[in-house]
Amino acid sequence: MGQGGFVGLSGDVMRIDRDSCSGPSVARTGDSWAGSILRNLVADFGVNMNMKTVVLGICLLARLAPWAGAGESSTQTAPASVKQVTAIRLEGKIDLDGRLSEPEWRDDVAATDFVQREPVEGVAPTERTLVDIVYDDEAIYVGARMYDADSKAIVARLGRRDASVTSDKFIFFIDPYHDRRTGFYFGLNAAGTQYDGTLLNDTWDDSSWDGVWEGRVRRDDEGWTAEMRIPYSQLRFQRRDTHVWGVNFKREIARKNEADYLVYTPRTESGFVSRFADLVGIGNIVPPRRIEVTPYLTAKAEYAQAEAGDPFNDGSRFAPGVGLDIKAGLGSNLTLDATVNPDFGQVEVDPAVVNLSDVESFFEEKRPFFIEGSSIFNFGRGGATSFWSFNWGWPDFFYTRRIGRRPQGSTPDADWVDSPSGTNILGAAKLTGKFGGNLSVGILQAFTGRETARIDLGGVRSEAEVEPPAYYGLVRVEREFNGGRQGLGLMSTVTARSFGEDRLRDEINSSSLAFGVDGWVFIDGEKTWVVNGWTGVSDVRGNAARIASVQESSLHYFQRPDASHVELDPDATSLKGAAGRLTLNKEKGNVIFNSAVGFITPGFDVNDLGYQWRADQINGHIAAGYRWTNPGRFTRRVNHKLAAFQTRDFENNAVSTGLGYMGFAQFLNYYSANWSVFYNPQSTNNTRTRGGPLTINPPGYELYLYVNSDDRKPWVLGAGSGAYTSDSYRSRSVDASIEWKPATNLAVIASPAYAAESARAQWVDAFDDPLATNTYAKRYVFATIDQKTFSAGLRLNWTFTPKLSLQLYAQPLIASGDYHDYKELARARSYEFNRYADENISVEDGSYTIDPDGSGPAPAFSFSEPDFNYRSLRGNAVVRWEYRPGSTMYLVWTQSRSDVESIGDFRFGHSVGRLLDAKADNIFLLKFSYYWNP
């Protein structure tokens, strides 16, 4: 593999030699807070684990190459019969206008032998397609002629870049490493909308990457044409005299729901990139020096509602900003992406949620720096193309929303507090690439700054630290062997903080480490059966108070009084755990099969830089089914699947058990439906009392049905309904999706949903009482809650040109919760409750007081009124203009308003009126970026 450079924690470049593999050398760090973070990390874990891990891992995987028979070649084993496409060196110049008028576009060398996959697999296309590829010293060019006997029927819908719109399309796929596992794709639809992204794991695609390239289309009486120019700077390939790359093309004819490929994947099989044709004829080109610099300026004006007398907020705030994005190639193998003082004000707002559970809400990442190329950091999902799970708390080692999150620390008591809404990212960098075509490396490093809140107490102002400066590090290494038949990888994450105030040491982890190994192996020569597996360990560090709090958190509940396998250790300064999962998947054929078994020990915790919603699990499932892929009398395709699953904790309590049936059908008119039926027998609940004793889940069943209409029509409708019924919980829900396409460049989408739920044992609180002997000297108080929720996503996409667009998005939410029938758990390991008599409950000034035994000796306890009626409206409007390739201007307006009352009634008209009367917070942002490729 030769040598490569990797950025260390302190910015040092470390060199790795395959022959010696002697490990890294870390330069000394000064006395800055960044240096303090590094010293704390070394003190906690003894060594620089993150970079040591990647060094040793790369060395190990490099030395495994001869054993696996992979050698150093980047070209993997080809299919038995491979088509060839010949590229012609360009002698003249291509005028990128979509006309294909240059003599280099030659029909005699064009790729023409396309095959239909949809709607009839394996037959000749209904329309003819010709594709030429030419190249020069700087770029590769693609010219495609899509003949159409009815050119006026071509569907040409304009959308924002990468927008999923129903339109005729042409897509160019390329595998320049020729590893038959990864690659890029570039596409144009008949209106000129651009599509691009990356290919991974042979079958998957990721649209988060936006390359800098150009394309034009033109429609005429014969059909339409597409012309692309893709600079070599946007591709990754090795330096050679001659090149053989993988290539494929796809044409979509929207009105016929037709998809034609040069090389297609049969519906009952898997694998896409591995089937590509060979692109030959390219020679005497050199991977270019790759450096892209994008500075940007922002101007932000915030107008928020201010309370009378607030010394920190007069209702308005103006904040100019400047930042820089850099993308640089380090040789032909590695790409460095760095951002300094990033601003993500153009991203869509998060939806409002009402979360009454003990599980943290998960929000999708929307920030471009963290989305782009994030697939390289996928862990535990290689080899197989399908990963099923049922109530499995799959831990995600890397959850990018942790970086730049809302400050976690508390503030001292004060009259007024002005706390930041997020943590400032001082800088972040990603290093990604491939060596030898089969060794992938991804490294991410980020620093966030110290955040302080301004406080005012009695007119005296001061500042309090609410988030210490932090370092986040991630390393991902993966090697594929024997043409992707086997794979082996590792991942390591590190978080470390430097506290300025000791108060925060009780509230926030000082550091954490996670390390995992994953891989896969196809166990037969036809690549029909694949086994995938991963295992990992975690180590969270902090002072005794902090680690005790982690042990008591909803992820662990070590304080459970009846648990024999866990115990709260108040003196511990670290928490360690392990997890793993093994999956068997059938990749080909009409018969569907998937099975998995996994474990998460009680102490496993990756929430510092990852996302994990459950620990203490031993989970497994077995699922099988059958799929019909050829059209029949009523349907085009159908599948049916059955599954059985169970989850136990490490005390061998069955906390989840189920049997399920799932089905899908696409009808001849292109309507589709999916449905499911699940039954859950009685099980044990180890989280209902939130750290208290076990309870019982009564048996229940679930039904769900969703129907979609033909997406080629001006009106596209979808509607579904679900229901769950048991003695403990009852829910009924309906949701819909309505898309109206009044013009070829305009779409209006509404996604309303309504749910009515009734939970008999909704958590309220727990109170110490030595008389509560059946429940370990605590009273666990519950209520019946009748909860109703209305939400909707409202979106308008108006695209004026392929480079200029307007997006409007709004998310209204109305949710109510009516608590009644207050009671306490009667005894552990049951679903029995003692209901409080009405005469023992009093309400005054928004507070409930309950005397559990009336005139008896038990003390009374109080809690705040839990009833609620919450309304929220969040939305934004984004104008995006790509005024030159890679350079954009954003104009953004974001508004949010909310209102809440302590009433449990769901009154839609009243709530809408209150919401419209609520005062709004407004943010206006102008962002201007300029792409420079020196």
Side-chain angles (χ1 to χ4, degrees):
M1 120 182 141
Q3 294 183 335
F6 296 85
V7 177
L9 302 184
S10 58
D12 313 310
V13 175
M14 294 179 281
R15 304 191 67 83
I16 304 167
D17 190 289
R18 178 181 173 183
D19 295 328
S20 62
C21 282
S22 57
S25 173
V26 182
R28 295 182 62 184
T29 310
D31 290 327
S32 65
W33 58 260
S36 176
I37 288 176
L38 182 56
R39 287 195 301 276
N40 290 345
L41 185 61
V42 172
D44 274 349
F45 297 111
V47 292
N48 180 346
M49 287 296 296
N50 212 23
M51 295 312 297
K52 186 173 183 179
T53 296
V54 71
V55 171
L56 297 179
I58 291 176
C59 292
L60 171 64
L61 296 180
R63 290 197 178 279
L64 281 175
W67 168 81
E72 290 300 312
S73 172
S74 65
T75 302
Q76 305 295 339
T77 304
S81 178
V82 178
K83 292 183 178 181
Q84 281 195 348
V85 177
T86 301
I88 306 298
R89 176 170 276 278
L90 180 63
E91 300 297 336
K93 181 182 178 181
I94 297 292
D95 183 10
L96 203 70
D97 55 9
R99 294 180 181 274
L100 303 184
S101 56
E102 292 79 8
E104 283 79 8
W105 303 124
R106 295 165 44 188
D107 290 356
D108 61 320
V109 296
T112 61
D113 51 341
F114 281 66
V115 182
Q116 188 180 141
R117 187 178 189 271
E118 301 291 344
V120 183
E121 180 181 323
V123 304
T126 61
E127 307 289 350
R128 189 174 178 225
T129 305
L130 286 77
V131 185
D132 279 302
I133 295 181
V134 300
Y135 71 98
D136 59 20
D137 291 336
E138 297 179 351
I140 189 169
Y141 301 80
V142 182
R145 157 61 72 177
M146 278 66 67
Y147 289 100
D148 199 310
D150 187 2
S151 60
K152 293 183 179 180
I154 292 171
V155 180
R157 293 195 59 83
L158 188 59
R160 187 172 171 176
R161 185 172 188 161
D162 291 325
S164 178
V165 295
T166 301
S167 179
D168 284 36
K169 298 184 183 76
F170 171 76
I171 312 293
F172 165 56
F173 304 93
I174 189 165
D175 170 17
Y177 274 123
H178 210 216
D179 61 6
R180 301 195 179 277
R181 296 279 299 171
T182 63
F184 302 85
Y185 68 87
F186 305 86
L188 292 167
N189 75 9
T193 298
Q194 284 186 289
Y195 301 86
D196 54 11
T198 57
L199 307 172
L200 65 151
N201 198 33
D202 193 7
T203 304
W204 299 342
D205 63 85
D206 179 0
S207 63
S208 64
W209 176 75
D210 285 335
V212 181
W213 57 283
E214 296 177 88
R216 299 288 187 274
V217 298
R218 184 171 292 272
R219 299 192 295 277
D220 55 31
D221 292 339
E222 293 185 301
W224 67 287
T225 55
E227 201 168 30
M228 304 178 185
R229 180 185 185 274
I230 303 165
Y232 296 136
S233 62
Q234 303 304 299
L235 304 177
R236 308 290 179 265
F237 58 93
Q238 296 181 329
R239 185 185 298 268
R240 298 177 184 274
D241 293 334
T242 60
H243 295 268
V244 178
W245 296 346
V247 68
N248 203 356
F249 312 112
K250 177 185 180 183
R251 178 185 178 182
E252 295 183 17
I253 306 175
R255 70 182 185 278
K256 302 178 182 182
N257 264 334
E258 182 174 335
D260 305 324
Y261 291 82
L262 183 68
V263 184
Y264 78 99
T265 302
R267 295 172 189 161
T268 60
E269 299 186 20
S270 63
F272 181 63
V273 182
S274 56
R275 300 173 182 270
F276 280 11
D278 285 344
L279 178 62
V280 300
I282 297 178
N284 299 316
I285 63 171
V286 177
R289 180 174 67 95
R290 295 179 288 121
I291 182 166
E292 303 170 12
V293 181
T294 308
Y296 54 85
L297 300 172
T298 62
K300 181 188 295 185
E302 300 182 41
Y303 300 94
Q305 301 305 310
E307 295 185 51
D310 187 342
F312 304 119
N313 182 12
D314 63 0
S316 64
R317 182 178 300 173
F318 178 75
V322 60
L324 180 70
D325 289 338
I326 301 173
K327 185 186 291 287
L330 306 181
S332 60
N333 294 314
L334 294 172
T335 300
L336 173 67
D337 291 272
T339 183
V340 179
N341 194 34
D343 181 276
F344 304 112
Q346 76 274 17
V347 303
E348 194 171 272
V349 294
D350 288 324
V353 297
V354 175
N355 186 351
L356 302 180
S357 74
D358 66 339
V359 176
E360 174 191 9
S361 296
F362 180 90
F363 294 103
E364 296 290 339
E365 179 60 88
K366 300 175 183 179
R367 299 170 295 178
F369 175 83
F370 294 105
I371 292 177
E372 185 174 311
S374 61
S375 58
I376 198 170
F377 299 111
N378 286 344
F379 176 75
R381 296 179 182 267
T385 57
S386 181
F387 291 88
W388 298 20
S389 65
F390 299 89
N391 295 330
W392 163 246
W394 193 299
D396 188 343
F397 279 57
F398 183 40
Y399 178 40
T400 53
R401 295 291 295 260
R402 301 297 186 205
I403 304 174
R405 65 176 145 191
R406 181 179 294 274
Q408 305 171 79
S410 64
T411 56
D413 291 337
D415 298 324
W416 299 96
V417 176
D418 180 30
S419 188
S421 59
T423 304
N424 186 36
I425 302 174
L426 302 179
K430 291 184 295 187
L431 189 65
T432 59
K434 264 198 165 185
F435 294 94
N438 50 22
L439 177 63
S440 301
V441 176
I443 302 173
L444 184 143
Q445 318 274 298
F447 282 97
T448 57
R450 185 188 313 277
E451 297 296 337
T452 59
R454 296 184 296 172
I455 60 178
D456 184 294
L457 179 60
V460 179
R461 297 186 185 180
S462 61
E463 291 187 347
E465 185 179 43
V466 290
E467 183 74 27
Y471 161 78
Y472 300 92
L474 169 68
V475 169
R476 174 70 167 135
V477 181
E478 184 179 75
R479 180 144 202 167
E480 299 170 1
F481 306 103
N482 296 331
R485 291 183 178 273
Q486 299 94 31
L488 182 64
L490 59 85
M491 175 176 260
S492 178
T493 68
V494 169
T495 303
R497 299 178 175 88
S498 176
F499 295 95
E501 296 184 19
D502 288 339
R503 169 181 58 86
L504 293 186
R505 294 183 183 275
D506 296 345
E507 303 175 7
I508 304 174
N509 302 337
S510 64
S511 56
S512 64
L513 167 72
F515 173 80
V517 177
D518 67 337
W520 71 88
V521 56
F522 284 89
I523 58 179
D524 66 313
E526 298 300 319
K527 297 180 71 173
T528 299
W529 294 90
V530 59
V531 175
N532 166 281
W534 65 268
T535 188
V537 295
S538 68
D539 189 351
V540 178
R541 302 291 178 100
N543 66 13
R546 173 55 188 166
I547 297 303
S549 177
V550 173
Q551 293 176 77
E552 293 178 321
S553 69
S554 61
L555 185 60
H556 302 289
Y557 288 143
F558 276 19
Q559 71 274 30
R560 283 175 283 172
D562 58 349
S564 61
H565 64 300
V566 292
E567 184 179 4
L568 180 65
D569 182 356
D571 300 319
T573 56
S574 68
L575 182 65
K576 299 178 176 66
R581 191 161 175 86
L582 195 65
T583 300
L584 173 65
N585 190 64
K586 188 172 184 288
E587 296 286 300
K588 297 180 180 180
N590 294 92
V591 175
I592 302 167
F593 184 86
N594 182 277
S595 183
V597 61
F599 72 94
I600 307 174
T601 67
F604 188 76
D605 190 332
V606 294
N607 269 336
D608 236 346
L609 189 50
Y611 180 86
Q612 179 186 343
W613 61 273
R614 268 306 168 246
D616 194 8
Q617 282 193 339
I618 302 171
N619 169 276
H621 75 262
I622 183 168
Y626 196 88
R627 55 188 169 193
W628 291 262
T629 60
N630 295 321
R633 185 176 178 183
F634 301 106
T635 61
R636 295 185 178 276
R637 63 189 66 188
V638 179
N639 66 61
H640 299 282
K641 293 167 282 190
L642 296 172
F645 53 91
Q646 187 174 81
T647 302
R648 291 183 173 268
D649 64 16
F650 274 71
E651 199 178 35
N652 203 32
N653 297 299
V655 297
S656 173
T657 302
L659 300 171
Y661 158 66
M662 298 147 284
F664 169 81
Q666 185 184 62
F667 302 99
L668 295 178
N669 62 356
Y670 290 100
Y671 279 54
S672 64
N674 61 280
W675 58 89
S676 62
V677 179
F678 282 88
Y679 172 71
N680 301 112
Q682 178 177 296
S683 60
T684 303
N685 191 308
N686 58 8
T687 61
R688 177 177 284 125
T689 55
R690 307 201 178 186
L694 299 173
T695 62
I696 297 298
N697 288 324
Y701 62 91
E702 180 181 21
L703 306 172
Y704 184 74
L705 171 67
Y706 198 92
V707 179
N708 280 303
S709 69
D710 184 351
D711 64 4
R712 297 172 299 172
K713 305 300 183 180
W715 287 89
V716 183
L717 307 176
S721 179
Y724 189 90
T725 302
S726 76
D727 287 343
S728 63
Y729 177 74
R730 176 188 174 93
S731 73
R732 302 292 184 266
S733 65
V734 292
D735 58 295
S737 176
I738 306 164
E739 181 179 7
W740 177 41
K741 297 175 279 190
T744 58
N745 65 335
L746 179 63
V748 181
I749 304 168
S751 303
Y754 175 78
E757 304 166 83
S758 180
R760 185 182 164 204
Q762 174 62 44
W763 169 261
V764 176
D765 209 337
F767 302 91
D768 293 326
D769 188 342
L771 299 177
T773 56
N774 288 336
T775 52
Y776 300 91
K778 275 198 175 187
R779 298 191 183 274
Y780 296 92
V781 181
F782 297 88
T784 297
I785 182 175
D786 295 326
Q787 184 176 355
K788 298 179 175 64
T789 305
F790 169 81
S791 63
L794 307 174
R795 188 183 301 275
L796 182 146
N797 297 325
W798 195 354
T799 308
F800 307 105
T801 73
K803 305 296 185 182
L804 178 63
S805 64
L806 167 66
Q807 287 188 320
L808 301 177
Y809 174 74
Q811 195 249 355
L813 172 69
I814 300 173
S816 68
D818 179 17
Y819 287 74
H820 57 93
D821 191 26
Y822 291 94
K823 48 191 166 283
E824 65 181 46
L825 183 66
R827 59 184 178 86
R829 292 181 178 266
S830 77
Y831 192 72
E832 298 175 9
F833 300 90
N834 295 325
R835 185 180 181 276
Y836 299 130
D838 292 342
E839 59 268 21
N840 293 340
I841 303 175
S842 60
V843 184
E844 185 177 357
D845 296 331
S847 177
Y848 273 74
T849 299
I850 295 178
D851 189 341
D853 61 353
S855 59
F861 52 83
S862 300
F863 53 86
S864 298
E865 163 73 73
D867 288 356
F868 65 88
N869 191 311
Y870 176 76
R871 311 103 182 184
S872 169
L873 178 62
R874 299 182 180 184
N876 60 1
V878 180
V879 176
R880 181 184 184 273
W881 176 35
E882 187 175 357
Y883 58 91
R884 63 189 301 269
S887 301
T888 55
M889 185 196 75
Y890 290 95
L891 181 61
V892 183
W893 169 40
T894 301
Q895 184 182 98
S896 61
R897 61 178 71 200
S898 62
D899 179 69
V900 63
E901 291 180 284
S902 294
I903 58 174
D905 297 337
F906 183 85
R907 292 180 284 174
F908 186 81
H910 170 77
S911 296
V912 171
R914 293 268 305 196
L915 187 56
L916 294 177
D917 290 339
K919 295 182 179 180
D921 294 337
N922 293 280
I923 300 175
F924 299 93
L925 171 76
L926 175 64
K927 182 175 182 179
F928 180 87
S929 68
Y930 182 83
Y931 173 82
W932 179 46
N933 186 11

